[in-house]
Amino acid sequence: MQPIEQIYTRLDQPAKIVITTHQKPDPDAMGSSLALYHLLVRWGHQVTVISPTNWASFLDWMPGADKVLNYEITREKSEAIIMAADWLFCLDFNTPIRTKHLSPVLAKAPGTKVLIDHHQQPAVDFFQYGVSDTGKSSTCEMVYDFMVSSGKASWLDTDMAQCLYAGLIGDTGSFRFPAAGASVHRMAAHLKSVGLNHTLVHEHIYDSFLENRLRFIGHVLTNRMEVFYEFNTALIYVPKSDLLKYDIKTGDTEGLVNYPLSIQGIKMAAIVIDRDEERKWSFRSKGNVDVNTFARRFFEGGGHFNAAGGRSSASLEDTVKTFKKVLREHASEFQLT
């Protein structure tokens, strides 16, 4: 994979560009994709954003979200656009498998693939150009860096700023997490200087849910959470029956894994949700607890040092049993005791 700086002058020639991201895009994935979309359109390109799947409704407010294609319901159209693209920008995922059913389409696409991502262990051989920086707070911060280093900082407008800020607060926990360094705050100040209404973005991301979600959270924290104080760990498990009972939609479980970290002494929180085709894991941690390695070794996943995801094809009951077994046998190795 060659440095992304080598494509700046090549982008001065109008081209057909596709931007894609990981399945079930979160604020950082959607925000970075749409911010880059607005930048490249201004640069003179024909640009299409294609999501591998649907996304949470609380992201629909983002400027340009109405133009994003959902691959799962526009397969023929999306594949034709991908095959005709000169450039394919791949944002916020380190390996193509994270694009679900879109992965084989990207693999055979003839366009030049460009990676912009901050997850560990990227599949660098899949991309011709790119930047992978685990020290960055978010892919939105990296798209902002791309804008600045390519000499296009003066093009930053309120549409781009809203998208970038959404991803910034999403991946830094509203500036709580260690990744929110000085560069993040300087970026936020620049976004404010072009007219960003940060309060409005916060309301869109965090204050736009329905009553059923709040009742679902109360139910889950009361009935589906186990705390293992001897291992400084908390686990939430959500059966499919709960999702159906409370009419839970894409995005409604966003952030739920963080709740147990507010318990005194808890260093790792995990949540597993019973989906149709698999059980989806999310892990969060504090300090020196490496959930990226934990997820990679035991749950077919990975991500960041303090935030990672995983999966299991076993039943909910069996994957929970596996988690408890791993916790007993490896707690000291992951500095949980």
Side-chain angles (χ1 to χ4, degrees), residues 147-169:
M147 184 184 307
V148 172
S149 62
S150 63
K152 304 297 188 277
S154 62
W155 289 0
L156 180 67
D157 59 21
T158 55
D159 283 352
M160 297 180 206
Q162 288 181 83
C163 296
L164 292 172
Y165 188 75
L168 202 64
I169 63 174

Side-chain angles (χ1 to χ4, degrees), residues 228 231 233 268 323-331 336:
F228 309 97
F231 303 127
T233 294
M268 181 172 77
F323 176 83
K324 293 178 180 179
K325 181 176 184 289
V326 168
L327 196 60
R328 288 193 303 271
E329 296 177 355
H330 299 275
L336 291 167

